[in-house]
C-alpha cells in the first residue's frame, strides 16, 4: 500500500475510533430521560443559598440539583418540600391555608430515567422529636429523659412509628414504578446527625448525654427500614450516613455538615448545610455509578 494511502487509512481508522469513544462518553455524560427528585427538607435544603422556592424552602444547592448538574440528565424536576411526609406524595401540601406544593408524584412521568426519594423523617415526627428531646434535656442533662419519654410503658413509640411508616414508603415506591416504569429508582437515607462515638455535647446542643445513643439508634432504624423497603420494591438504597460520620452537629464549624439548634452556617436547625448536601450528592452519584 502506498504511504499516502496508508496514512489516509490510518487517519480514517483513528478518526472512527475517536468518534466511537466520543459517542460512548457522550452517552455516559448524558443519561437518558429526566431526573425527578421527591422528598422532604433533607432533600430540599432549607435556608441554604440560593432558595429557589420559598414555600418549600428549596435550594438550588441541594443534593438533587448538584447531582443533576454533575450527571447531565436531559431534564430535571425537583419537587422536594420542607415538612413533607409520605402523604404529600399523593396530596397537596399546605402551610396553614396556603398550598405550597402539589402532590409530588404528579412530577413523575413515563419519560423519567431517574427518580430519587428521600422521605420518612416527618412521618415519625422529626420536628416534635427534636423539640421534645431538647426540652427534656433541661430537666436531666446527664440522664436519658427523652428515652424515658418515648419508651414509657414499655413500648418504643419511635420504633413503632418507623414500623408504621414502612408500608407507606413501599406504596410510594410502587406508585413511582407505575408512573415511570423505565426509571431507575433510588431511596436516599438520612446522614449522621448525632455523634457516632460519643454521648453528645450538651449544652452546646441540647440533647441529654443519655439520650444520644437512643436517638442515634432510632435514626439507624429509620435508615434500615428505608433500605429494606427499597430492596422489597425494586429500588436501590443510598447510604448517606456512613460517609457523614464525624461531621455531626457537635463538630466545629467547617467540619460539621449538619447544623445544630442554632445554625452557624445557612441551614435549618438539625439539617444539612451546603457541605452536607454536597456530601449527600457525592453518595448519590457514587450509587448511580455502581
Amino acid at each position: 500500500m502506498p504511504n499516502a494511502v496508508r496514512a489516509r487509512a490510518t487517519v480514517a481508522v483513528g478518526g472512527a475510533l475517536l468518534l466511537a469513544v466520543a459517542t460512548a462518553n457522550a452517552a455516559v455524560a448524558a443519561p437518558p430521560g429526566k431526573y425527578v427528585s421527591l422528598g422532604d427538607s433533607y432533600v430540599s435544603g432549607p435556608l441554604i443559598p440560593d432558595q429557589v422556592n420559598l414555600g418549600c424552602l428549596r435550594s438550588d444547592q441541594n443534593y438533587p440539583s448538584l447531582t443533576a448538574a454533575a450527571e447531565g440528565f436531559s431534564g430535571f424536576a425537583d419537587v422536594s418540600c420542607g415538612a413533607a411526609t409520605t402523604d404529600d406524595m399523593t396530596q397537596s401540601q399546605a402551610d396553614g391555608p396556603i398550598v405550597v406544593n402539589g402532590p409530588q408524584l404528579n412530577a413523575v412521568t413515563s419519560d423519567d430515567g431517574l427518580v430519587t426519594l428521600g422521605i420518612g423523617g416527618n412521618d415519625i415526627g422529626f420536628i416534635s422529636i427534636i423539640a421534645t428531646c431538647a426540652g427534656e434535656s433541661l430537666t436531666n442533662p446527664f440522664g436519658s429523659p427523652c428515652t424515658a419519654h418515648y419508651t414509657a410503658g414499655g413500648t418504643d413509640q419511635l420504633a413503632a412509628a418507623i414500623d408504621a411508616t414502612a408500608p407507606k414508603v413501599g406504596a410510594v415506591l410502587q406508585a413511582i414504578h407505575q408512573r415511570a416504569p423505565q426509571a431507575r429508582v433510588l431511596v436516599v437515607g438520612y446522614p449522621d446527625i448525632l455523634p457516632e462515638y460519643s454521648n453528645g455535647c450538651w449544652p452546646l446542643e441540647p440533647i441529654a448525654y443519655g439520650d444520644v445513643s437512643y436517638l442515634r439508634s432510632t435514626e439507624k432504624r429509620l435508615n434500615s427500614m428505608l433500605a429494606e423497603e427499597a430492596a422489597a420494591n425494586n429500588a436501590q438504597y443510598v447510604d448517606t450516613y456512613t460517609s457523614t460520620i464525624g461531621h455531626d452537629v457537635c463538630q466545629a464549624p467547617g467540619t460539621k455538615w449538619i447544623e445544630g439548634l442554632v445554625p452557624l452556617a445557612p441551614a435549618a436547625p438539625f439539617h444539612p448545610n451546603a457541605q452536607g448536601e454536597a456530601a449527600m450528592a457525592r453518595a448519590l452519584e457514587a450509587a448511580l455509578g455502581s
Side-chain angles (χ1 to χ4, degrees), residues 97-188:
I98 301 173
V99 174
V100 297
N101 209 31
Q104 292 192 28
L105 279 170
N106 285 0
V108 180
T109 62
S110 59
D111 63 346
D112 296 340
L114 172 69
V115 180
T116 60
L117 174 68
I119 204 71
N122 293 318
D123 286 78
I124 71 169
F126 176 76
I127 298 300
S128 65
I129 293 168
I130 294 298
T132 297
C133 293
E136 293 281 354
S137 78
L138 302 178
T139 67
N140 187 5
F142 300 106
S144 51
C146 188
T147 305
H149 175 91
Y150 283 111
T151 60
T155 299
D156 188 333
Q157 299 172 41
L158 299 186
I162 291 170
D163 292 344
T165 302
K168 298 178 182 180
V169 173
V172 173
L173 292 173
Q174 289 299 319
I176 291 171
H177 287 304
Q178 290 171 6
R179 290 169 176 263
Q182 304 304 316
R184 186 175 177 184
V185 181
L186 284 79
V187 178
V188 181

Side-chain angles (χ1 to χ4, degrees), residues 84 86 89 96 114 146 154 169 212 215 218:
T86 51
M89 302 299 105
L114 172 69
C146 188
V169 173
V212 171
L215 294 176
T218 296

Side-chain angles (χ1 to χ4, degrees), residues 83-99:
T85 68
T86 51
D87 290 341
D88 298 312
M89 302 299 105
T90 56
Q91 66 185 24
S92 294
Q93 185 176 344
D95 183 3
I98 301 173
V99 174

Side-chain angles (χ1 to χ4, degrees), residues 186-209:
L186 284 79
V187 178
V188 181
Y190 291 90
D192 180 19
I193 301 172
L194 296 173
E196 178 74 4
Y197 304 114
S198 77
N199 290 326
C201 52
W202 193 95
L204 180 62
E205 299 301 341
I207 303 295
Y209 285 106

